[in-house]
Amino acid sequence: MRSLKVRFALLLGGTALIALMAAGGVLWSTRLSERVIERTLAAQHRLELMAELSGRLAQYGLAAIESVNNPDAPPEALSVTRDRVDQALTAVDDALGRGLGSSDDPQDRIQYVARTRPLASVRAARAMLDRQVQMAQRESEPERRRNAMQGALNGFGAMTGPPLSLLIEAERRSMNAGSEDARTLSQRLTAASLAAMALALAFVGLLYRTVTRPTLARIDEIRRAAGAVGSGALDTRLTVETRDELGVLVANFNRMVARLSRREGRLAADRAALEDTVQARTADLRAANERLEMVDRSRRRFFADVSHELRTPLTVILGECDLAQRSIERGSPRPADFTPVFGTIRKRAQRLKRRVEDLLRVARSESGQIELDRRPVSAVAIASDAVDDLVSEAARRRIELVLEPGERDIELSADPEWLRQVIESLIDNAFRHAAGLTRVTVSVEERFGPHGERALIAIEDDGPGFPEDAEGLFERFRRESPTGEPGFGIGLALARWVVERHDGRISLGKAGRGAGARVVLDLPAFDLGADPAGHGATRERIDAA
């Protein structure tokens, strides 16, 4: 055979032939088994019906005795037992007709006729007993009724006993014959299966030796040669032994290896030149990547700060607009009633404009620097402005926002807009991230220490408090929001940056009542002696963190 197609066609054809023979054998054995099982089960079913018929006849005899000996007994009892006997006779007759009468086998037809005659005798005996019971019931003397009934029962037993015994014995023989046929069939099928298995194994072995094994040997040789070529042995060659598809494949393999060997020499020279070029370009790419990373970090920081800084003023503006809209929906207020609303919106818009200008200056600056306008300001005034700006948002969220100014106001050297923005951001963080929050307190305290007078501005809430790793919240883009509120995770990072540029410190802890979060801004008080001009304003440029 010079073609692999013929070999594989022979292999597939032989496999298909074996599969078809196996399927035919299974179907044939299944049909034979079903036939034997059906005959056995039918005989068993008829035997059970005959046993039931025997019991019904006995009940009918007892009912007949009761109706004759007890004239006052209800006649329905005898009628019910008579109907049950008729039903049992009909069931036996139907079972014989289905199992034997409908068969095309002459032997089954003979057995059907042999069984219907005893069954007819039983049916005649039931009818005769019925007539004798009616005659006995007409006798007036009890003794004569009993004698008549005794004779009728004796005749009934003589007429029904032998036929029933004959029928039962015939069905038992049928069941035994079915069991014997099943055993014989099982032995034959076992022998046939063993013979078929032996023939199939012999045929498969012949196909393997003549078709499969030679083909697999050649394929394995090609596989090993391909592995050697893949490992770099380009001098590998195969012998063309046949003129089939595998022979053509081997010839093509040899030509391919020869071409690869020639190309390998050219690639070695090109590889050396390419390595020199790659080394020269790698240094340029590394420097370019470093510049791009620096630009990307500046871009991400800028957009994150813009998003965070613009959100709080916009929230206040939208809240005031919502209050004005609800006022209009409830009635028609006078234009003067909206004067505070417009004042708040204007003030927030001006501060928003200030933040936008600062952030845009940061974006345009190559050094990433912004300016802090530090001057003497009141700590209570800054905290009061922050609380006033968020009163409407607290009312909307149904949170109590309280300012505790302390016993004495403290003057700071700070940028009031940046410091107010930090306090507002901390309050807004409490609103958005503290689950179950009901109260936020902003307090201003005075404290004296080794470094002089200081102002403590604390923001406390009654929420769940900070997690155990609270210091990690100062990382940029780090978020811990059990409520699922949106955000960029830059609020505390930006707050710490601003506070540290004011020579202060920011710390996280628990509230004084043991529950909730507490953020403390520790800022130095304004030193009048450090400013010879009194309350003159100072301006400094600070690197953005």
Side-chain angles (χ1 to χ4, degrees), residues 77-399:
L78 183 62
S79 176
V80 169
T81 55
R82 184 191 305 119
D83 293 340
R84 291 178 178 175
V85 170
D86 292 340
Q87 292 174 1
L89 286 170
T90 302
V92 173
D93 196 7
D94 294 340
L96 289 173
R98 289 192 302 270
L100 299 175
S102 60
S103 176
D104 297 333
D105 190 356
Q107 186 67 27
D108 291 341
R109 302 290 295 178
I110 294 173
Q111 293 182 6
Y112 174 70
V113 174
R115 284 172 172 76
T116 54
R117 291 177 180 176
L119 191 62
S121 299
V122 173
R123 193 183 299 275
R126 200 280 302 162
M128 183 179 294
L129 179 61
D130 194 31
R131 289 193 299 272
Q132 290 175 351
V133 168
Q134 293 177 0
M135 293 175 61
Q137 287 177 345
R138 297 191 186 99
E139 296 291 340
S140 59
E141 295 181 4
E143 186 65 26
R144 295 182 65 181
R145 284 199 303 270
R146 285 193 296 270
N147 292 334
M149 192 62 210
Q150 184 67 33
L153 289 176
N154 291 334
F156 180 72
M159 292 181 66
T160 58
L164 280 177
S165 299
L166 179 62
L167 290 172
I168 292 173
E169 184 62 26
E171 296 302 334
R172 286 178 179 172
R173 287 198 299 270
S174 297
M175 289 183 59
N176 293 333
S179 299
E180 186 64 26
D181 292 342
R183 285 192 294 271
T184 303
L185 179 61
S186 176
Q187 294 174 358
R188 292 177 180 176
L189 291 178
T190 301
S193 300
L194 293 175
M197 290 173 59
L199 291 175
L201 290 175
F203 185 68
V204 170
L206 178 62
L207 290 177
Y208 177 76
R209 290 179 62 86
T210 58
V211 178
T212 306
R213 188 171 67 177
T215 303
L216 292 178
R218 292 293 291 165
I219 293 174
D220 187 64
E221 184 180 358
I222 296 173
R223 181 189 60 80
R224 291 195 298 269
V229 171
S231 301
L234 297 180
D235 56 346
T236 303
R237 299 293 185 272
L238 294 174
T239 304
V240 180
E241 298 177 354
T242 60
R243 296 183 178 275
D244 55 9
E245 288 84 352
L246 283 178
V248 176
L249 178 62
V250 169
N252 292 332
F253 177 82
N254 290 334
R255 287 194 293 270
M256 178 194 68
V257 174
R259 289 194 299 268
L260 287 176
S261 179
R262 290 191 298 269
R263 291 179 181 177
E264 181 68 19
R266 293 194 297 268
L267 286 176
D270 295 340
R271 187 183 301 114
L274 180 61
E275 288 178 355
D276 294 338
T277 304
V278 168
Q279 291 178 358
R281 297 293 182 268
T282 300
D284 298 337
L285 289 175
R286 187 177 295 110
N289 286 334
E290 291 177 357
R291 290 194 298 270
L292 288 175
E293 289 177 0
M294 182 168 37
V295 171
D296 186 62
R297 285 195 300 269
S298 300
R299 179 188 58 80
R300 288 199 305 266
R301 182 180 60 197
F302 168 69
F303 282 110
D305 290 343
V306 167
S307 300
H308 187 274
E309 290 299 316
L310 300 186
R311 181 173 55 208
T312 302
L314 288 176
T315 300
V316 175
I317 292 174
L318 293 176
E320 295 295 335
C321 291
D322 290 340
L323 291 176
Q325 184 178 3
R326 286 196 294 269
S327 300
I328 293 174
E329 291 175 354
R330 287 194 297 266
S332 299
R334 294 170 300 172
D337 295 339
F338 293 112
T339 300
V341 174
F342 292 139
T344 302
I345 293 175
R346 177 177 177 78
K347 182 171 63 173
R348 299 304 298 182
Q350 289 176 346
R351 292 174 179 173
L352 183 61
K353 179 176 178 294
R354 168 79 179 276
R355 292 280 76 80
V356 170
E357 291 176 349
D358 288 341
L359 293 173
L360 289 177
R361 283 195 298 270
V362 173
R364 289 192 296 264
S365 174
E366 293 182 355
S367 61
Q369 295 179 337
I370 64 173
E371 295 181 349
L372 291 181
D373 186 10
R374 298 180 62 174
R375 57 179 178 269
V377 293
S378 168
V380 175
I382 294 175
S384 178
D385 288 344
V387 170
D388 291 340
D389 290 342
L390 291 176
V391 166
S392 60
E393 178 65 14
R396 187 182 69 82
R397 294 176 178 265
R398 297 182 180 179
I399 298 174

Side-chain angles (χ1 to χ4, degrees), residues 460-514:
E460 296 184 5
D461 61 62
D462 58 354
F466 293 113
E468 294 181 0
D469 185 17
E471 287 299 320
L473 297 176
F474 287 109
E475 298 175 4
R476 187 174 290 268
F477 304 108
R478 167 75 178 270
R479 296 190 59 221
E480 292 287 345
S481 178
T483 61
E485 287 278 347
F488 294 94
I490 65 170
L492 289 177
L494 192 60
R496 182 171 66 176
W497 179 85
V498 173
V499 171
E500 288 178 352
R501 295 315 179 269
H502 283 82
D503 304 322
R505 296 186 302 273
I506 182 172
S507 60
L508 307 179
K510 294 184 178 180
R513 293 178 292 276

